[in-house]
């Protein structure tokens, strides 16, 4: 007698994908920017400055009103001093009882000689020269060289870490297959063409 049922099992199928961890390195970069600053040359000079003061020289030719009054007052004061001294001297001599004609003649001669000036009315004008001063000249020279400016921009190296990954996927579900492998069943059994009665002994 053969088995009538065939049982078959289908196992489960699992697909596993593994991604390994990664450490990626990005190289650092550096940028350089160069700029130029222009220099220059500057020269500043100041020539000699000549200062001429002609105030006193002009006053010696045409004095101002204030200066004229001052000069006349000094001359009058000096004349009064001279006259006072002369009159005192003459008075002392006149007190002498023995004064004679010769003394009077001497007084007249002295008076004439004092008032006599060989160069009367002659003088050099201006009698005072101008006052001359000067400021020395100056020169300033400034030179500045060109400049180069370097600007570095450095990007530091970076590390990027990618963690590992495990992916599981079921490609086939488990199953049980039951299959009937026997022949057809007849009811009643005698309807089977290949039916053979069973001998039953009494």
């Amino acid at each position: 007698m053969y088995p009538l049922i065939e049982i078959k099992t289908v196992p489960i199928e699992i697909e596993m994908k593994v991604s390994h961890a990664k450490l990626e390195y990005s190289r650092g970069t550096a940028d350089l920017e160069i700029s130029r600053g222009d220099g220059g040359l500057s020269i500043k000079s100041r020539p000699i400055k000549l200062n001429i003061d002609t105030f006193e020289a002009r006053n010696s030719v045409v004095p101002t009103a204030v200066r004229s009054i001052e000069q006349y007052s000094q001359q009058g004061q000096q004349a009064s001093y001279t006259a006072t001294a002369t009159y005192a001297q003459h008075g002392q001599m006149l007190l002498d009882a023995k004064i004679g004609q010769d003394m009077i003649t001497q007084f007249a001669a002295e008076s004439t000689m004092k008032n006599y000036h060989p160069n009367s009315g002659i003088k050099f004008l201006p009698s005072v020269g101008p006052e001359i001063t000067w400021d020395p000249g100056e020169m300033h020279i400034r030179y500045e060289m060109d400049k180069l400016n370097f600007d570095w921009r450095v990007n530091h190296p970076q590390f990027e870490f990618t963690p590992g990954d495990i992916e599981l996927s079921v490609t086939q579900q488990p199953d049980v297959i039951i299959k009937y492998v026997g022949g057809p069943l007849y009811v009643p059994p005698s309807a089977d063409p290949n039916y053979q009665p069973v001998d039953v002994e009494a």
Side-chain angles (χ1 to χ4, degrees):
M1 185 173 183
Y2 297 100
L4 301 178
I5 297 175
E6 181 179 322
I7 300 175
K8 182 179 180 181
T9 61
V10 178
I12 187 173
E13 291 185 1
I14 299 175
E15 182 179 355
M16 183 174 62
K17 295 181 180 179
V18 179
S19 298
H20 300 284
K22 294 186 299 182
L23 180 63
E24 296 179 349
Y25 168 76
S26 60
R27 182 177 299 176
T29 59
D31 298 332
L32 174 60
E33 182 178 350
I34 301 176
S35 60
R36 180 177 180 178
D38 297 333
L41 174 65
S42 62
I43 300 176
K44 295 182 180 180
S45 63
R46 187 183 68 182
I48 296 176
K49 183 179 180 182
L50 182 63
N51 304 314
I52 302 177
D53 187 3
T54 59
F55 180 77
E56 295 296 335
R58 286 186 286 106
N59 273 334
S60 66
V61 178
V62 182
T64 61
V66 176
R67 184 61 61 87
S68 298
I69 295 172
E70 184 180 354
Q71 290 176 355
Y72 289 149
S73 64
Q74 290 178 356
Q75 292 175 2
Q77 186 177 7
Q78 184 65 31
S80 64
Y81 289 158
T82 303
T84 301
T86 302
Y87 291 151
Q89 182 181 4
H90 290 176
Q92 185 68 27
M93 292 181 180
L94 291 174
L95 290 176
D96 191 355
K98 297 180 179 181
I99 187 173
Q101 187 66 30
D102 294 338
M103 184 64 65
I104 296 174
T105 303
Q106 182 180 355
F107 288 166
E110 288 180 359
S111 176
T112 303
M113 292 299 295
K114 288 182 180 178
N115 294 326
Y116 174 72
H117 298 285
N119 298 325
S120 180
I122 300 175
K123 63 179 181 179
F124 293 99
L125 296 177
S127 60
V128 180
E131 182 180 354
I132 300 176
T133 59
W134 69 88
D135 297 331
E138 295 181 357
M139 177 175 288
H140 299 279
I141 300 176
R142 180 180 178 183
Y143 174 71
E144 186 176 356
M145 298 179 61
D146 294 347
K147 297 179 180 179
L148 288 178
N149 303 317
F150 297 91
D151 186 9
W152 287 95
R153 298 176 182 176
V154 179
N155 295 325
H156 298 286
Q158 297 180 355
F159 294 90
E160 182 179 356
F161 175 73
T162 303
D165 186 23
I166 299 177
E167 181 181 353
L168 297 175
S169 60
V170 179
T171 60
Q172 180 176 304
Q173 297 292 336
D175 194 6
V176 176
I177 300 175
I178 301 174
K179 183 178 181 182
Y180 176 75
V181 295
L185 298 177
Y186 293 93
V187 179
S190 60
D192 185 1
N194 297 323
Y195 176 74
Q196 293 180 1
V198 178
D199 295 336
V200 178
E201 293 182 0

